[in-house]
Amino acid sequence: MPKPVSEPPAGERLASSTTVDDATASLRAASKVVQAELQGRAKAATGASQAVLEATALMAADPMLIKAAVKLVAAGTSAERAIWESGASVAEMLYNLGGYMADRATDVLDVRARIVAELRGVPAPGIPQSTEPFILVAEDLAPADTATLDPAKVLALVTSGGGPQSHTAIIARALGLPAVVAAAGVDDLADGTVVYVDGAAGTLSVDPGADEQELVAAWLLAAETLSVFDGTGTTSDGHLVPLLANVGGATDAVKAAELGAQGVGLLRTEFCFLERETEPTIDEQVVAYRGVFDAFPGKKVVVRTLDAGADKPLPFLTDSTEPNPSLGVRGYRTDLTTPGVLKRQLTAIATAAADSPADVWVMAPMIATVDEAADFAAMCRVAGLKIPGVMVEVPSAALLADRILGEVDFVSLGTNDLTQYTMAADRQLGTLAALNSPWQPAVLHLIKLTVAGSIAQGKNKPVGVCGEAAADPVLAVVLVGLGVATLSMTARSLAAVGAVLKTVTLDEAKRLAELALSARNADEARTSVRAELPILAKLGL
Amino acid sequence: MSERKATIASRVGLHARPASIFAAAVGELPIEVTIGMEGAPVEDAMDASSILSLMSLGAANGDVVVLRAEGEGADEALEALVKILETDLDAE
């Protein structure tokens, strides 16, 4: 990508080799060339961007812009400096008008830079136009470049400047593009050079050979597989495992639906409550929940009632003086200390569910006893909610899953908290990260016990997983082998989990689950299962 | 000097697409046309072929503007331009 156009020095005069007339003529000619270039781009564009480009094209030869510059040239200023100053005053005027006009100020500055580049005989600034997909090489990318970056055209980003937190790196992550930043020497690469970029290794090589071509083909296949979930979670032999999304509001829900989620396995209702001094009204809650339900007509949406406390304190619910918040009044337990909040929330969920096309289920977090499960189910019935369930996060709930499922219609394993309580290791302590792995065989045994509880209870009530564990495509296979019925995860992970699950039969998944259960520790469990899944290497997972 | 008044019909006012279309139409004429808000001094009138001028004029939907031109064909030209302004260009 061409370097940004530098400002012509203030006070730059006409070169002695040129005359006012010649400079004026070249200024007008340059403005016409830029106008024609932008008109060409407008023709190729559609919709709103076409309208913007048409207006920008007109600006390039606009009498107001050009006349002011011509006046400056007549007074002896160089053509480059003249258009620079004229553009600046027009941009300032638009900026001061505010609103839509202020946004157009950027277009004037873009036009100005293009005219200066044309006068200097250097390539126009910004991302080059190309009909072929290309690797973009630049000094660095500015936020404004993001808008014009077409992810269908740009294959990878390489910059000589920047670091891991530079704008380029952020854009690359957002678009899922391979990127190498701080790559020395790339400014000297000629346009059209064929290069091989390995974003994972952070390397770049010129004139790639057959090996690299093969790697590129494999990566393209993987990228395609990992970007699309076809909307059906299944093993290779047709055992269906609905893949659901964890969402925290309507925006998330719409995105998850677009990514193919088969429903919502965990709606975190905290989004309604966080950053508030007081409880939201029932009406406010109804609107917020309905926004999520509307994104999934005919699909299941599991609403988790307020899970405040521990790492998610709320001023009107949480006693901040507790010495041990994760073992304190949190989740369902807040109904003991602040009765009424849960009841009103259930009323709001029932009201939002009543005229919604979604199939609404409700579950309570932090259930430890059979009585709590029974009390919650009774509250749901009073509110008019038909399918009550509870989360299994406390080991006691996993151990008594058969009796808990006698009281409610489903359970959902929250593997993050289940792991921290099973291993007695605070989730937020980095030093205990190794203990906090859902691959810990003890955690896997509790998941197996929970499924066994459902089987013992006899009514085939579903056991789902809605923790981070479900988003790990390798662990997801183990969970399916353990008998988990649904997996709920961040929507970004749906494609990877779906792609890996599709390569194993249910019997293979069961065998891998046994392998993990019998491992000596979390590492061995993970390594031994990974070794049995050749698809992982193919997809680069 | 010919003079015509026109009421801006585009819902967004004389910005964006409507301004582009109007400025392009004026640009194709062999004569100079100015535009000003109704009631504003004649010397404040601006070049109607300049999209930047049109945008800075800030004419909203329902505002009345005055077009002025001199020379051969000025009347016919202004008639045509009034028609453009009195059409909701944003709707097309």
Side-chain angles (χ1 to χ4, degrees):
Chain A
M1 185 168 103
K3 292 178 186 174
V5 171
S6 59
E7 177 178 348
E12 186 181 70
R13 309 292 296 169
L14 279 177
S16 54
S17 57
T18 188
T19 63
V20 167
D21 285 349
D22 285 350
T24 306
S26 30
L27 177 62
R28 288 191 189 280
S31 97
K32 289 287 178 197
V33 169
V34 170
Q35 180 174 43
E37 212 271 317
L38 291 170
Q39 271 164 348
R41 284 177 57 186
K43 278 206 186 80
T46 52
S49 59
Q50 181 172 44
V52 169
L53 281 168
E54 278 170 356
T56 313
L58 279 173
M59 286 177 194
D62 191 277
M64 185 192 243
L65 181 70
I66 302 301
K67 274 182 190 165
V70 166
K71 259 188 207 160
L72 288 168
V73 171
T77 306
S78 75
E80 290 88 342
R81 182 68 200 177
I83 192 71
W84 190 269
E85 286 181 14
S86 164
S89 59
V90 170
E92 193 188 346
M93 175 202 78
L94 291 176
Y95 185 76
N96 288 335
L97 287 169
Y100 172 85
M101 301 302 169
D103 293 340
R104 300 282 75 76
T106 322
D107 301 340
V108 173
L109 295 179
D110 177 51
V111 160
R112 167 180 89 166
R114 287 172 180 280
I115 295 175
V116 171
E118 180 63 29
L119 284 167
R120 286 178 179 162
V122 300
I127 293 167
Q129 296 292 300
S130 165
T131 49
E132 292 287 308
F134 58 97
I135 291 172
L136 182 63
V137 179
E139 274 189 7
D140 204 357
L141 294 178
D145 297 320
T146 325
T148 54
L149 198 152
D150 177 0
K153 282 280 168 61
V154 178
L155 300 172
L157 304 176
V158 177
T159 61
S160 56
Q165 289 309 319
S166 69
H167 200 77
T168 304
I170 293 165
I171 296 172
R173 272 197 290 274
L175 297 177
L177 290 175
V180 178
V181 296
V186 296
D187 290 337
D188 300 330
L189 284 174
D191 264 2
T193 310
V194 178
V195 292
Y196 170 74
V197 175
D198 183 341
T203 59
L204 169 136
S205 54
V206 180
D207 293 328
D211 287 358
E212 281 92 354
Q213 300 281 11
E214 219 167 272
L215 287 168
V216 166
W219 185 84
L220 287 175
L221 175 72
E224 195 180 336
T225 312
L226 293 179
S227 63
V228 189
F229 172 53
D230 62 13
T232 308
T234 178
T235 60
S236 65
D237 55 341
H239 171 68
L240 296 178
V241 183
L243 302 186
L244 315 171
N246 295 348
V247 305
T251 317
D252 263 12
V254 169
K255 229 182 267 170
E258 280 169 8
L259 289 169
Q262 294 175 266
V264 171
L266 169 63
L267 167 59
R268 300 185 176 98
T269 54
E270 291 78 57
F271 77 97
C272 269
F273 293 82
L274 286 174
E275 287 164 24
R276 295 186 61 125
E277 292 299 314
T278 55
E279 184 189 342
T281 66
I282 290 179
D283 288 348
E284 283 175 287
Q285 293 186 50
V286 170
V287 171
Y289 304 149
R290 192 170 284 148
V292 176
F293 298 167
D294 286 350
F296 286 94
K299 305 261 176 72
K300 176 166 90 173
V301 176
V302 183
V303 184
R304 179 180 69 187
T305 57
L306 188 57
D307 187 19
D311 54 338
K312 292 168 286 199
L314 288 180
F316 54 95
L317 281 179
T318 313
D319 171 9
S320 58
T321 63
E322 279 183 357
N324 227 332
S326 52
L327 300 181
V329 179
R330 56 168 298 200
Y332 177 74
R333 298 169 182 181
T334 52
D335 193 49
L336 289 174
T337 50
T338 321
V341 177
L342 178 59
K343 188 168 165 250
R344 286 186 288 276
Q345 185 179 27
L346 290 173
T347 304
I349 297 168
T351 308
D355 53 358
S356 151
D359 179 16
V360 177
W361 297 19
V362 195
M363 65 182 180
M366 281 300 282
I367 294 292
T369 68
V370 180
D371 284 344
E372 285 172 355
D375 290 346
F376 180 71
M379 287 177 84
C380 287
R381 274 194 294 276
V382 170
L385 289 158
K386 293 187 189 67
I387 308 179
V390 298
M391 289 195 68
V392 174
E393 297 162 289
V394 184
S396 63
L399 293 165
L400 298 183
D402 58 337
R403 282 183 259 170
I404 284 178
L405 279 166
E407 305 295 336
V408 295
D409 295 328
F410 70 98
V411 295
S412 183
L413 289 147
T415 47
N416 304 343
D417 273 326
L418 183 62
T419 304
Q420 91 160 338
Y421 294 132
T422 303
M423 306 308 296
D426 190 331
R427 267 163 78 168
Q428 305 193 64
L429 273 185
T431 41
L432 301 180
L435 284 177
N436 254 313
S437 162
W439 282 99
Q440 287 287 350
V443 176
L444 299 177
H445 276 275
L446 280 174
I447 295 171
K448 186 187 175 188
L449 260 177
T450 308
V451 174
S454 168
I455 295 166
Q457 198 275 330
K459 287 194 184 148
N460 202 22
K461 291 184 177 177
V463 175
V465 169
C466 65
E468 289 293 313
D472 171 348
V474 187
L475 191 46
V477 170
V478 170
L479 294 172
V480 169
L482 288 170
V484 166
T486 59
L487 299 170
S488 190
M489 65 202 79
T490 166
R492 276 195 319 274
S493 301
L494 290 165
V497 170
V500 174
L501 191 58
K502 224 188 276 182
T503 65
V504 295
T505 63
L506 180 58
D507 280 344
E508 279 164 353
K510 284 180 178 167
R511 185 176 65 81
L512 295 178
E514 283 306 322
L515 209 57
L517 285 167
S518 61
R520 182 186 170 87
N521 55 45
D523 258 358
E524 190 186 302
R526 187 168 172 276
T527 316
S528 58
V529 173
R530 283 192 67 92
E532 301 284 318
L533 290 169
I535 181 75
L536 299 174
K538 267 192 210 147
L539 295 180
L541 288 169
Chain B
M1 166 86 73
S2 303
E3 190 174 307
R4 292 285 185 287
K5 284 183 185 171
T7 308
I8 305 295
S10 292
R11 274 165 296 129
V12 295
L14 197 52
H15 313 155
R17 192 138 191 280
S20 302
I21 294 170
F22 182 73
V26 177
E28 282 167 16
L29 296 171
I31 51 172
E32 285 197 9
V33 180
T34 66
I35 186 169
M37 298 298 280
E38 185 185 35
V42 180
E43 41 305 355
D44 285 1
M46 295 195 277
D47 185 342
S49 70
S50 161
I51 188 172
L52 295 167
S53 297
L54 295 176
M55 285 164 65
S56 62
L57 189 66
N61 173 274
D63 281 352
V64 177
V65 295
V66 184
L67 300 177
R68 295 184 185 88
E70 257 176 298
E72 203 174 325
D75 284 322
E76 296 78 5
L78 291 190
E79 280 309 322
L81 293 176
V82 165
K83 272 200 193 109
I84 294 180
L85 292 181
E86 297 197 332
T87 308
D88 183 1
L89 296 167
D90 211 43
E92 286 170 13

